[in-house]
């Protein structure tokens, strides 16, 4: 007999739909933050606001133990025009919850209510409602605002919905789970001129094309074949007419890796290739390289623990191991650099062909709300049980 339920919960659905109507971009989640804080205060939580500007920590204590747990939900949206056609669609033009953060927040609010009503734990629960996962690294900003000094956590946990995984399935992997995500803008500075007289110009388009092709050798010749990495040039801009050689071109790169040593080597080689190719063409280059979210690493001890709770909660057949890490990134990585814990996936597929995350037709599966809420309660109560973990 498992504890998993897929019963439709009208209260959770109402919460999720309300959040879905008011999507807000990172660090501007004012309506969302006000709503979440109000709900938590009504439940009896000690609510602290202002971490990372709009972030919230909700604290509930019970019993005599000094043991504590952190559970995180992100609540920012994306700059996408919604196309779901839902009657609860976004009321903010150009913004939508296209990644399911409305579902994450609704699930944690549902768990909060049950934890407050039951009080079947011994210790402290810190619920971390985090802004700006999609863009500004809200996790890092909360840490810089003293998150773990002010709210000590023995471990911290988070999940993400996945519409490509079977409904109700929990997916785990220990070690590297998600990649670091860095960005680079390379500007090639040449000399403009007439397209019919290229000898009198310094063509930055030709130089830029050479840089792009040379970048492909980094993965094949500078990174160990067993190390996974990606370098993608997603934009290459320059010129406005067929008979005009522009004075400059610009390319934008996304760079992914699971290992920080590989990450360092990728940056070093990108810079060397851009500068070397530009020099060989007699041009200048500006390389603006920005480090983004770090690799996310799940420690084995905590991952095995959460996996065991999931097996008891959902049944052995609903708990899977991811076949490999994912090249996407997630700022929960900052939390796991500071504290032990685990980040995992919850399958929310409605059909075999659901719109993917970040798609204008994506909509969180409401049937998954009670599963996520109940699992957070199960995890918190087990982690803060009398037994020594």
């Amino acid at each position: 007999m498992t504890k998993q339920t897929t019963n439709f919960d009208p209260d959770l659905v109402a919460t999720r739909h309300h959040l879905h109507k008011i999507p807000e971009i990172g660090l501007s989640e004012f309506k969302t933050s006000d709503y979440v804080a109000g709900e938590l205060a009504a439940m009896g939580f000690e609510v602290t606001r202002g971490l990372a500007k709009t972030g919230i920590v909700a604290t509930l204590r019970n019993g005599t133990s000094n043991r504590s747990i952190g559970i995180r939900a992100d609540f920012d949206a994306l700059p996408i025009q919604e196309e779901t056609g839902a009657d609860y669609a976004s009321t903010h033009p150009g913004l939508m919850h296209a990644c399911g953060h409305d579902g994450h927040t609704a699930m944690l609010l549902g768990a909060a209510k049950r934890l407050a009503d039951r009080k079947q734990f011994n210790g402290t629960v810190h619920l971390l409602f985090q802004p700006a996962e999609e863009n500004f690294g809200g996790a890092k900003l909360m840490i810089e605002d003293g998150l773990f000094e002010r709210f000590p956590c023995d471990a911290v946990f988070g999940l993400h919905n996945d519409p490509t995984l079977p409904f109700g399935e929990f997916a785990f992997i220990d070690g590297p789970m998600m990649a670091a995500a860095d960005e680079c803008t390379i500007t090639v500075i040449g000399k403009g001129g007439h397209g019919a007289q290229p000898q009198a110009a310094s063509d930055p388009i030709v130089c830029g094309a050479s840089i792009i092709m040379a970048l492909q050798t980094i993965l094949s010749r500078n990174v160990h074949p067993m190390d996974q990495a990606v370098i993608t040039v997603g934009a290459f801009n320059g010129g406005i007419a067929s008979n005009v050689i522009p004075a400059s071109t610009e390319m934008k790169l996304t760079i992914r890796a699971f290992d920080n040593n590989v990450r360092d080597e990728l940056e070093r080689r990108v810079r060397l290739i851009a500068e070397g190719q530009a020099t060989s063409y007699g041009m200048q280059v500006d390389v603006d390289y920005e480090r983004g979210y770090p690799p996310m690493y799940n420690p084995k001890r905590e991952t095995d623990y959460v996996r065991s709770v999931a097996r008891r909660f959902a049944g052995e057949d609903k708990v899977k191991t991811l076949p490999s890490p994912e090249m996407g990134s997630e700022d929960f990585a900052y939390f796991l650099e500071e504290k032990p814990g685990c980040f995992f996936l919850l399958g929310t597929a409605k059909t075999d062909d659901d719109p993917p995350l970040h798609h204008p037709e994506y909509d969180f599966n409401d049937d998954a709300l009670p599963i996520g809420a109940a699992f957070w309660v199960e995890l918190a109560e087990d982690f803060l049980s009398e037994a020594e973990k």
Side-chain angles (χ1 to χ4, degrees), residues 4-36:
Q4 181 177 339
T5 176
T6 57
N7 293 334
F8 186 81
D9 188 319
D11 291 336
L12 290 179
V13 172
T15 296
R16 208 276 293 184
H17 289 188
H18 175 78
L19 292 167
H20 193 86
K21 289 181 180 180
I22 56 168
E24 296 168 296
I25 208 73
L27 304 183
S28 299
E29 310 96 329
F30 301 111
K31 291 181 181 179
T32 303
S33 184
D34 286 345
Y35 174 79
V36 171

Side-chain angles (χ1 to χ4, degrees), residues 148-342:
F148 293 124
E149 289 80 16
R150 298 167 64 184
F151 309 96
C153 296
D154 293 313
V156 62
F157 302 96
L159 68 76
H160 205 291
N161 78 97
D162 191 332
T164 70
L165 291 178
F167 178 81
E169 183 174 287
F170 290 77
F172 298 89
I173 189 170
D174 56 76
M177 180 180 177
M178 302 187 82
D182 299 331
E183 293 188 355
C184 180
T185 300
I186 300 174
T187 304
V188 181
I189 303 165
K191 179 183 177 184
H194 198 293
Q197 297 180 332
Q199 77 284 354
S202 295
D203 192 342
I205 289 181
V206 173
C207 179
S210 182
I211 290 172
I212 290 172
M213 295 307 296
L215 288 173
Q216 310 310 308
T217 67
I218 295 175
L219 302 184
S220 64
R221 289 297 176 266
N222 301 122
V223 175
H224 192 286
M226 298 303 292
D227 288 325
Q228 295 174 291
V230 167
I231 297 176
T232 293
V233 181
F236 184 29
N237 302 309
I240 56 173
S242 63
N243 63 344
V244 178
I245 295 172
S248 65
T249 61
E250 180 185 86
M251 62 197 77
K252 294 183 179 293
L253 290 66
T254 186
I255 300 145
R256 311 278 174 134
F258 294 107
D259 181 273
N260 280 320
N261 291 326
V262 173
R263 192 183 188 191
D264 292 341
E265 178 65 5
L266 293 177
E267 178 177 356
R268 187 180 76 86
R269 292 298 303 172
V270 166
R271 291 184 180 278
L272 283 174
I273 285 176
E275 292 164 359
Q277 291 289 323
T279 298
S280 73
Y281 282 88
M283 300 183 204
Q284 294 180 320
V285 68
D286 177 71
V287 180
D288 181 11
Y289 203 104
E290 293 187 11
R291 292 288 181 111
Y293 297 170
M296 187 166 67
Y297 188 94
N298 274 332
K300 180 173 173 54
R301 181 175 182 269
E302 284 70 26
T303 303
D304 286 346
Y305 164 66
V306 182
R307 187 187 281 117
S308 70
V309 175
R311 287 191 180 116
R312 184 175 66 244
F313 173 82
E316 185 75 32
D317 63 324
K318 288 289 189 177
V319 179
K320 307 295 182 182
T321 297
L322 289 171
S324 63
E326 299 188 357
M327 277 296 174
S329 64
E330 166 58 70
D331 79 342
F332 194 84
Y334 290 115
F335 290 146
L336 291 178
E337 286 186 332
E338 300 291 326
K339 296 290 180 179
C342 177

Side-chain angles (χ1 to χ4, degrees), residues 348-368:
T348 58
K350 301 176 186 177
T351 70
D352 292 334
D353 192 29
D354 284 2
L357 300 175
H358 293 213
H359 190 281
E361 294 180 3
Y362 169 80
D363 192 15
F364 187 92
N365 186 350
D366 288 330
D367 288 340

Side-chain angles (χ1 to χ4, degrees), residues 74-88:
D74 40 12
F75 58 36
D76 59 322
L78 285 158
I80 297 174
Q81 182 62 42
E82 182 165 351
E83 298 177 5
T84 64
D87 58 7
Y88 50 85

Side-chain angles (χ1 to χ4, degrees), residues 79-139:
I80 297 174
Q81 182 62 42
E82 182 165 351
E83 298 177 5
T84 64
D87 58 7
Y88 50 85
S90 169
T91 59
H92 296 171
L95 299 177
M96 75 168 289
H97 273 295
C99 203
H101 295 182
D102 52 342
H104 300 168
T105 300
M107 289 190 293
L108 194 55
L109 284 172
K113 187 175 189 311
R114 193 171 304 181
L115 286 166
D117 289 344
R118 288 162 57 95
K119 287 192 171 65
Q120 294 184 14
F121 63 90
N122 185 22
T124 301
V125 175
H126 296 301
L127 305 183
L128 317 178
F129 291 87
Q130 181 210 306
E133 188 279 325
E134 296 287 358
N135 48 4
F136 301 114

